[in-house]
Amino acid sequence: MPTKEELDSLLAWEFPQEKALIYLNHAGVAPWPRRAAEAVTRFAQENTRMGGRRYPAWVELEQRLREQLARLINAPSAADIALLKSTSEGLSFVAGGLNWHPGDNIVTAAGEFPSNRLPWEALRGRSVELREISLDGDTVEDPEQALLEACDERTRLLTISAVQYADGLRLDLPRLGSGCRRRGVLFCVDAIQWLGAHPFDVQLCGADFVAADGHKWMLGPEGLALFYCAAARRPDLELLEYGWHMLEEPGAYEQRTTRAADDARRFECGSPNLLAAHALSASLSLLEEIGIREVSRRIRTLTAWLRTAVRERGWELLGPSTPERCLGIVTFRPRGTADPGGLQRALLERDVICAARGGGLRFSPHCYTSREQLAEALERLESLCS
């Protein structure tokens, strides 16, 4: 296990950001570590010099990426992992692929990111009800119970973001998964605000489906996402896309067959995004080198310090009332703030990169962020509020 000094040195090397920059938007689009940029550069140079001569090696890297992602979520096998374009695509495969019946319903949280809302809203045309349950901490003491109590005998699926994007509310996934199993309800998780920031165990939480793009806490590029489909559920999803890559024998171009692969590759219709695969694999290697538990410990320490510092300034914390419910995201409203978007734009001009979400400012530091940077970001913000 590396020492704290060794990890600090490693992270300083991997994130050579501009000196004045304070990056607090990992819940939006994260910077790449140095090794991801170098991996893409090598891949581009190989393409320039040799074209596809090393294609077999690139395919091997793609398989290593599946194995890395399987370890990240503790999937039973890398065969359960599909590499898709986005979280939205994975969730759309579930929404469009299940055999819905008029009168079925889906339970989710009110205020979900559009990726975990629009695919289900589209089913209203098939007489499927979408039940959006408020998880507002001011009125709901037990969000998991609120979601499970909304399920009835016609509920086919509960779909939830593991961490709510606007205020950082972290859900108890094993409890939700257990409740779904008892009720015979499918369990679908949008894990984009969790993976890369905290240990995740798909077997422990009992999720049937998990989707997450790599460009947030996994520190990867946009355009490449994990989609987990439990082996027992794969036959339940009607295929929506077809192409050479999803076949059981993808290299047998002259065979007149449409037999889809038995594993999760059946959801990958066309050519893989190998450039993004090189970048994401490199980024995940950094998280593995640090250890996801150490990554989580550092993030939780930073967010706990930030929550205290916000309160000490007399500013209003939005979202979870306890740090145990918070994962990576701290949303708050400085005193007298009427325009969080204006404050966010003013901070951008002062090299503090954050977001305006949920009626306040959203700060989301990663494991390489320093406490000194957080303090400086608050100082720059306070100067705008004075």
Side-chain angles (χ1 to χ4, degrees):
M1 177 70 183
T3 65
K4 177 183 182 302
E5 292 72 23
E6 289 170 337
L7 285 179
D8 289 343
S9 177
L10 171 65
L11 291 170
W13 167 257
E14 289 287 356
F15 294 94
Q17 295 170 1
E18 296 178 4
K19 187 174 181 180
L21 187 76
I22 303 174
Y23 203 94
L24 301 175
N25 194 29
H26 298 88
V29 176
W32 296 1
R34 186 192 298 264
R35 66 181 66 188
E38 291 176 346
V40 168
T41 298
R42 287 193 299 272
F43 176 73
Q45 290 172 343
E46 287 179 2
N47 256 295
T48 301
R49 296 196 311 269
M50 295 181 285
R53 181 179 178 183
R54 297 194 70 249
Y55 203 94
W58 300 343
V59 173
E60 289 178 7
L61 180 135
E62 183 191 37
Q63 179 57 28
R64 287 200 301 275
L65 174 58
R66 295 179 201 277
E67 293 165 0
Q68 288 174 294
L69 291 167
R71 289 194 296 271
L72 185 68
I73 68 169
N74 192 32
S77 168
D80 300 318
I81 305 296
L83 302 176
L84 303 184
K85 296 191 295 292
S86 63
T87 309
S88 300
E89 185 178 35
L91 297 176
S92 292
F93 274 143
V94 179
L98 288 172
N99 182 24
W100 301 98
H101 304 288
D104 287 346
N105 68 70
I106 300 162
V107 171
T108 190
E112 281 281 344
F113 193 76
S115 296
N116 198 27
R117 174 174 53 82
L118 294 174
W120 319 110
E121 285 183 343
L123 296 172
R124 286 172 172 159
R126 296 164 65 176
S127 299
V128 175
E129 177 191 1
L130 180 62
R131 297 179 174 178
E132 298 181 86
I133 310 304
S134 172
L135 303 184
D136 183 356
D138 292 335
T139 57
V140 179
E141 293 184 4
D142 190 337
E144 291 81 13
Q145 187 66 21
L147 289 165
L148 292 171
E149 285 181 348
C151 298
D152 61 20
E153 68 279 359
R154 294 305 306 271
T155 303
R156 289 284 304 283
L157 179 136
L158 189 155
T159 180
I160 194 70
S161 290
V163 177
Q164 295 295 301
Y165 82 100
D167 63 9
L169 174 65
R170 168 186 170 183
L171 277 299
D172 186 338
L173 298 181
R175 183 180 172 195
L176 288 173
S178 176
C180 286
R181 286 192 298 275
R182 290 196 304 271
R183 292 165 172 79
V185 172
L186 294 171
F187 186 31
C188 180
V189 178
D190 175 347
I192 197 170
Q193 295 292 3
W194 185 301
L195 295 187
H198 192 71
F200 186 97
D201 191 329
V202 71
Q203 298 183 70
L204 178 64
C205 71
D208 297 288
F209 314 103
V210 177
D213 208 316
H215 66 270
K216 298 184 188 294
W217 302 95
M218 286 188 271
L219 303 171
E222 293 185 283
L224 184 59
L226 165 154
F227 177 56
Y228 166 85
C229 180
R233 299 278 75 83
R234 288 200 283 270
D236 297 341
L237 294 187
E238 180 183 355
L239 295 176
L240 305 178
E241 299 179 359
Y242 291 85
W244 71 275
H245 196 264
M246 48 82 75
L247 298 178
E248 184 63 31
E249 298 182 63
Y253 305 127
E254 296 179 2
Q255 288 189 17
R256 302 289 294 181
T257 178
T258 57
R259 185 188 168 208
D262 291 328
D263 62 18
R265 194 167 45 79
R266 68 195 284 116
F267 302 110
E268 303 172 9
C269 70
S271 297
N273 185 349
L274 290 171
L275 185 147
H278 279 74
L280 183 55
S281 178
S283 295
L284 291 176
S285 76
L286 174 62
L287 296 178
E288 289 186 318
E289 186 174 344
I290 300 167
I292 193 63
R293 294 190 181 280
E294 175 63 15
V295 170
S296 173
R297 187 195 67 79
R298 287 177 171 236
I299 293 173
R300 286 184 285 111
T301 298
L302 289 167
T303 52
W305 183 92
L306 180 56
R307 288 169 62 90
T308 298
V310 165
R311 283 199 181 101
E312 287 175 347
R313 284 169 167 78
W315 297 347
E316 181 185 4
L317 269 176
L318 306 175
S321 59
T322 62
E324 293 76 22
R325 280 288 191 179
C326 176
L327 181 58
I329 291 171
V330 177
T331 304
F332 62 98
R333 186 183 296 119
R335 57 182 176 274
T337 300
D339 181 15
L343 268 183
Q344 180 267 330
R345 291 188 292 273
L347 283 171
L348 179 63
E349 293 297 318
R350 288 159 176 78
D351 290 321
V352 177
I353 315 302
C354 63
R357 298 287 188 272
L361 290 174
R362 186 186 71 183
F363 281 12
S364 49
H366 212 300
C367 65
Y368 68 89
T369 311
S370 70
R371 189 175 297 181
E372 291 73 22
Q373 286 178 308
L374 285 181
E376 175 61 22
L378 293 177
E379 288 296 322
R380 296 182 196 179
L381 174 57
E382 195 153 31
S383 71
L384 292 170
C385 298
S386 58

